[in-house]
Amino acid sequence: MSTDQFSSTAPPDDVLRSLDEPLFALDGAGTTVFVNDRGADLLEADRAALTGEPLLGRLSDRLGSYVQDKLDQAIAAGEETGFETYADPLGSWIRVTAFPFRDGLTVRVREYAEQTGALAPSAVTEGVDGIAVLDDGEFVHVDRDYASAFGFDSDDLVGHDWRRLYDDATTARIETEVLPAVAQRGRWQGELVGESRDGESVEQAVTVSEVADGRVVWTGREITSRKQYGRELAQQRTRIRALFDKSPDGIVVHDADGNVLDANDTECETLGIDREELLSKNVAEFEVGYDREDLKAMWAEMDEGEVLKVEGEHRRSDGEVFPVEIWVNKVIVDGTEQYIALDRDITDRKTRERELRRTREFIEKAQETASIGGWEVDVRDDTLRWTDEVYRIHGVTPDTDVSVTDSFGFYHPDDRQEMAEAFERLQSEGESFDRELRIQTTSEQTRWIRAVGEPQFDGDDTVVGALGIFQDVTERKEREQELRETKERLDLAVEGANLGIWDWNLETDAVTFNDRWATMLGLSPNEIEPHLDSWEERVHPDDMAHVEASLTAHLEGEAELYDCEHRMRTADGDWKWIRDVGRVVERDADGTPVRAVGIHLDIDQRKQYEETLEQTREELRQIIDLVPDLIFAKEEEGVYLLANETTADAYGLTPEAVEGKTEREIIPNADESADFRKDDRQVIESGEPLEIPQEELTRADGETRLLRTTKIPYTVAGSDTNAVLGYARDITDLKSYEQRLEEQRDNLKILNQIVRHDIRNNLNIVLGYAEYLEAHVDEAGAEYLDPVLNAAREAVDITTSAREVTELLLQAETERTPTNLRHVLQHRIDDAQAGDHNALITTVGGVSNASVLADDMLGSVFRNLLQNAILHNDADVPEIRVSTTGSEDRVRVFIADNGPGIPDERKEKIFDEGERGIDSEGTGLGLYLVRTLVNRYEGNVWVEDNERGGATFVVELPRADGGTGA
């Protein structure tokens, strides 16, 4: 091993074997020449079996391939190396240090999983364990790390008594506690405080072990900076925790899934749950105003630092549900999303508005780093030497050539001049320096460092050099910045809560008020005398008795808090509502209150809101009473909670006389009362609404009315009482109308039968005989027979239209089903062609095979349109062209004739009921029937002009086949 690392007196094998950390020695080929007990344990092998075996492969399997690569490089270069890495097989962080000797390498492994617990990788480099071996109280071996912790070189300590490093008190402790423990048990571990060369305290975590030949091995790790920072951090945490737990509002810290990470005492007391149980719960278990997925979605949408204000409902351990107002703040802690939720109970009507001002607490979890290196400058030859740690902090390798001038170039441009001036004064005036400045590493990272320099003098007191330390304090600086920001946020939270603060000395009645206490009343702080009178003279006289009673109850220990709402006079003479909350914080030996502190909260707007709410309730009652239908609410036992005037009038009472009474007390008909109660219980027990199409109610005057009633379950606000809310409409007159309508439908059915059977049969007989006579009359007789035939045919068509219209009127709402368009349309084309041989009906491009949404009366649409195109055609040969087009969801049918066409002003009217065409002798029902049916199919029908001067009727129908038909 190099003399830079160890003293000239090398430790014997038994000393090395006793070291409480793995130690290996291997030759240039990577073969094991030495391994101590801890090293064998680490590799899970016997020491003897490892000796002479290749070591690097075993280390790679156990610690990861990165370790083998680094050690290969160290052997090849013959240079000392040290690095930290995460060993996957071990599941922990380790530090490996390698020292070249002759043609081999000595390797030390520190398992950080044992030493640092959950510290992050950047926090495990606080210091390196130093090793010293004592024989009869004198150092016989001291490595560089152990010596440098005290400001010495190794050779400075070898041969000296260990007491050189400790004051009298620590020496006495070592002699009476440490050495006897080592002699008795062979080992002692603990913390000791030594003295460095310059007299500074050096705190160390120390392990003292006795080896076989009576020598004692000391391993020490410097923890000075960590201990100091730990004390400061512990004090800060204590203060923050006290503020956190004593907050008057509940505070919960949870993660993105709602798991509770922390909660203050107030939250535990409010929910009636102890802290241990609450930390095992999810927010969704006591926040019942939202379900769990809604909560997670709400949190996920928040940005870091965003404050979300919502209202929810919490459930106490006894099942009571109460409303809360919640402020949620999203923060990032160690890269993890966390949420700080501050909640306030707003159950009391007097605390519903502007009562909650969130008090934020941020619990800082910092990890300590004390990465320290050393530097030395010889001003005579302008040379600079850095330890490996200084190189690492700068982000450069130890073989990098860095001059004094180069070193200043690393400093941040804003700090470079300050460092240059400090170093100049050290050279010219011998002035030491201790600065915390920024540097910029080679990877362009900005880091905070602490640079300490001490001048070195020759015999003539001339500065010939400088020695110093170089410490990376970036994480400490970042934590300090976070603490400052946390304090600023807390200050902003208090300021944002708009609180007036008072501090009352009950012995002298002197009171200290903050500025907000005064400005809340429109006064300037210098207008307020620091005395109790300043408060008493401004309290409303009508409120003073209530205020004094509340205050006395607290001062005498009958109430935990003084909490009172009262009015105070403002600067302009108006009255403002204030919530005054306070607590005795100090009593004398006899228990007499000595000091109390409290807050004033402006609740004037909330009070105005409550007054408005009460007025709104009264107006709502007036509206309910004006509703002509019965509106009522009843609880489980049938007691009326609400009855509007219509409900009360049915029983011959006033709403006031009904409310608070049971059904049995006000409903004349006992059977009706029992039926109503049965329905109410069904709704409450099932939790489902109930529709009652028809039920009877006997009024107070004996008249029986029919009601259509809806009943729904609900929970009475502010309680767990289950109730039913009802809405009933008098349908007596409606039922009478429906009965008359049914009678008319029956009469219409009879008329339809007469038209379809009796009249149509007689017309068919007339038509049959007339057609027979066509072949038996002469030309003169045909002149008279043709009008008969035409009239008979038209009469038959009229009865067909009448039948279809009647069926349409009698038909209830029918369901549309997929109907093949080609089949229906082609059938009607064939019928029309057969009925009039003189007409010419052609299809253009074929008829679409699409399915449309219609019913069995679709054929009537096309029959009437084709008949209309033939009968109202003035051409010698009526020519009808039928074509279809389609889109993804619609089909259009075009029926174009060569007749006289239809004027624009009549194109809409011809579809009206009873509307006839020009010179038409028809009933006007055909086209009316067409539009009625097409509308039923959710389609459309219209008429257009065509190129032949005639009319084109367009029918558009919805497809049922998704656009797959041709």
Side-chain angles (χ1 to χ4, degrees), residues 771-793:
E771 289 175 343
Y772 175 78
L773 289 175
E774 252 185 318
H776 298 83
V777 298
D778 55 17
E779 187 174 345
E783 179 181 354
Y784 297 100
L785 184 59
D786 287 342
V788 173
L789 287 169
N790 291 335
R793 290 189 181 105

Side-chain angles (χ1 to χ4, degrees), residues 543-601:
D543 298 340
M544 184 55 78
H546 169 59
V547 171
E548 290 180 343
S550 298
L551 183 58
T552 300
H554 175 61
L555 294 178
E556 294 180 356
E558 298 175 4
E560 184 178 355
L561 284 175
Y562 159 63
D563 192 343
C564 183
E565 294 183 355
H566 58 79
R567 289 163 290 180
M568 293 191 71
R569 189 177 68 252
T570 64
D572 55 11
D574 293 332
W575 296 99
K576 174 174 285 193
W577 278 97
I578 299 293
R579 183 184 179 198
D580 198 358
V581 182
R583 170 181 288 173
V584 172
V585 296
E586 184 179 348
R587 296 178 182 270
D588 62 15
D590 297 328
T592 302
V594 174
R595 179 170 170 256
V597 296
I599 62 171
H600 269 194
L601 185 65

Side-chain angles (χ1 to χ4, degrees), residues 460-478:
D460 298 328
D461 289 335
T462 300
V463 175
V464 295
L467 290 175
I469 63 171
F470 200 84
Q471 182 179 12
D472 186 344
V473 296
T474 303
E475 292 195 13
R476 176 170 63 80
K477 283 289 189 178
E478 290 174 350

Side-chain angles (χ1 to χ4, degrees), residues 629-684:
D629 300 313
L630 285 73
I631 299 177
F632 55 87
K634 293 177 282 185
E635 50 99 83
E636 289 181 285
E637 301 303 321
V639 176
Y640 276 88
L641 304 174
L642 169 70
N644 70 341
E645 289 189 357
T646 305
T647 303
D649 183 63
Y651 304 128
L653 301 170
T654 64
E656 293 77 14
V658 174
E659 293 170 358
K661 299 289 184 63
T662 64
E663 286 178 316
R664 292 188 298 273
E665 295 175 298
I666 62 172
I667 296 181
N669 190 313
D671 292 338
E672 291 179 1
S673 174
D675 291 340
F676 294 160
R677 290 290 299 119
K678 180 180 178 182
D679 293 339
D680 293 346
R681 291 193 186 97
Q682 177 182 340
V683 171
I684 293 175

Side-chain angles (χ1 to χ4, degrees), residues 164-175:
R164 180 180 182 182
L165 301 181
Y166 299 99
D167 60 15
D168 293 341
T170 304
T171 297
R173 180 188 172 199
I174 294 172
E175 292 174 340

